[in-house]
Amino acid sequence: MPHTHHPIGVFDSGIGGLTVAHAISRLLPNEQIIYFGDTAHLPYGDKSKDLIKRYSLEITDFLLHQKRCKCIVIACNTASAAAYEYLRDTHKGNVPIFNVIDPIIESVVADDSIRHVGIIATKTTILSGVYQEKLSRRKPGLKYSALPTPLLAPMIEEGFYNNNISQTVIHNYLEQPELEDIDALILGCTHYVMIKKEINDFYKGKVKLFDSTDIVATKLKDILEKEHLLSENQVGKNLFYVSDYTESFEQSAKAFYGESLALEQQKISSSK
Ligand code: DGL
């Protein structure tokens, strides 16, 4: 049974989910986070749904059974698109499982100033059609345009952001005709939070940007409160696991969480 002092499990293919984990730590400083970056298998964005489901299930098993997490945050749009329903049905009734897509959809459809929203995300997320389907179901009149941007997550994972290379790649994507005339843009990959400033600069602040940091953290807080699962006291140090050690992961994690960060390697069976 989940308990208030148990940790929150958060996972992504790599560093992207750290943006979500960090937003959770800011909003809920008493909570302990156990983070898993599946660096052995990134990028998820060019993998099949079945493979992502398998990786996600193994990570979730590790977080729930070995680390006794009280809930799971899928801090990855690709895994949310490919595996959320599967994970939710597999763990039905045991622990709350959160995806990063629904809170973004809720915020976008609640904003009546938006007429045309763009979506940038990995190939797997765009091809899944999850964003498109949810937007058109929730707000039939809303115009949307989706563009796969497969170079962005690997570029960011390698540490290329806020430099000339990232600027060239970002501009190239944002200049595509699909994104003409948008007044809002969904950053449909948790990695893209790291380039949010560059995207905002491109649009000179004139396009509203939606990402899965604070809105996911707020959603998590609401649900944990309702389920009486919020921790009242500080419970422990955050722990970070990767399926394959990479220096860029360690650097990015330290940039978010400070030098004393504890990073461990944990194989999941498909990376053994
Ligand atoms: N950060 C992930 C997402 O939100 C996945 C990036 C990748 O591994 O391709 O989609």
Side-chain angles (χ1 to χ4, degrees):
M1 276 301 278
H3 199 281
T4 52
H5 64 261
H6 289 174
I8 295 174
V10 179
F11 80 89
D12 179 39
S13 60
I15 62 175
L18 288 169
T19 62
V20 182
H22 194 236
I24 297 170
S25 299
R26 270 196 319 254
L27 189 67
L28 301 171
N30 284 340
E31 302 292 337
Q32 180 189 24
I33 289 178
I34 310 264
Y35 187 89
F36 192 97
D38 193 8
T39 44
H41 298 123
L42 71 86
Y44 276 9
D46 60 4
K47 305 246 170 359
S48 70
K49 238 176 133 167
D50 281 346
L51 205 51
I52 296 166
K53 276 176 160 169
R54 207 174 86 203
Y55 298 153
S56 301
L57 186 64
E58 287 176 9
I59 296 166
T60 308
D61 280 348
F62 166 73
L63 292 170
L64 291 179
H65 302 129
Q66 292 193 41
K67 297 292 151 194
R68 306 186 65 209
C69 290
K70 63 184 171 190
C71 67
I72 298 291
V73 179
I74 310 171
C76 171
N77 285 260
T78 313
S80 294
Y84 166 63
E85 278 158 18
Y86 171 64
L87 294 179
R88 188 198 56 194
D89 295 347
T90 307
H91 295 288
K92 221 179 201 121
N94 298 337
V95 293
I97 297 190
F98 297 86
N99 70 75
V100 287
I101 295 177
D102 288 329
I104 295 192
I105 298 283
E106 271 172 40
S107 303
V108 171
V109 301
D111 188 333
D112 287 328
S113 71
I114 301 171
R115 287 164 304 106
H116 182 190
V117 59
I119 308 150
I120 52 169
T122 66
K123 251 192 258 173
T124 304
T125 301
I126 298 291
L127 286 177
S128 77
V130 169
Y131 270 106
Q132 298 92 315
E133 189 268 319
K134 289 188 185 218
L135 283 173
S136 50
R137 188 155 41 84
R138 296 284 307 275
K139 207 167 191 179
L142 180 65
K143 185 176 173 196
Y144 61 78
S145 305
L147 179 74
T149 46
L151 289 181
L152 295 181
M155 173 187 89
I156 295 162
E157 193 69 37
E158 285 301 322
F160 289 96
Y161 41 93
N162 296 322
N163 64 22
N164 291 342
I165 292 173
S166 61
Q167 201 186 4
T168 308
V169 178
I170 292 165
H171 282 213
N172 211 288
Y173 278 134
L174 299 182
E175 279 158 6
Q176 295 300 310
E178 285 90 335
L179 300 180
E180 234 174 75
D181 299 329
I182 54 168
D183 43 34
L185 181 66
I186 294 174
L187 310 191
C189 169
T190 52
H191 280 74
Y192 302 172
V193 177
M194 320 276 277
I195 53 167
K196 189 173 179 181
K197 190 188 167 304
E198 290 171 88
I199 295 175
N200 196 43
D201 288 349
F202 173 87
Y203 289 117
K204 301 192 170 60
K206 290 191 180 120
V207 164
K208 272 191 192 172
L209 303 180
F210 288 84
D211 69 65
S212 44
T213 54
D214 296 336
I215 50 175
V216 171
T218 306
K219 181 85 195 170
L220 175 70
K221 180 172 181 251
D222 289 350
I223 303 288
L224 291 185
E225 214 155 37
K226 248 188 229 142
E227 304 269 331
H228 305 290
L229 280 175
L230 276 182
S231 169
E232 279 154 28
N233 316 301
Q234 207 158 18
V235 279
K237 219 166 135 46
N238 298 324
L239 297 175
F240 298 83
Y241 292 88
V242 282
S243 48
D244 191 24
Y245 174 80
T246 66
E247 209 180 305
S248 57
F249 185 94
E250 183 159 21
Q251 273 168 11
S252 301
K254 279 182 176 163
F256 278 112
Y257 280 96
E259 284 303 308
S260 62
L261 172 115
L263 182 63
E264 283 185 38
Q265 188 160 330
Q266 170 68 40
K267 303 265 182 206
I268 53 173
S269 64
S270 39
S271 61
K272 272 179 193 159

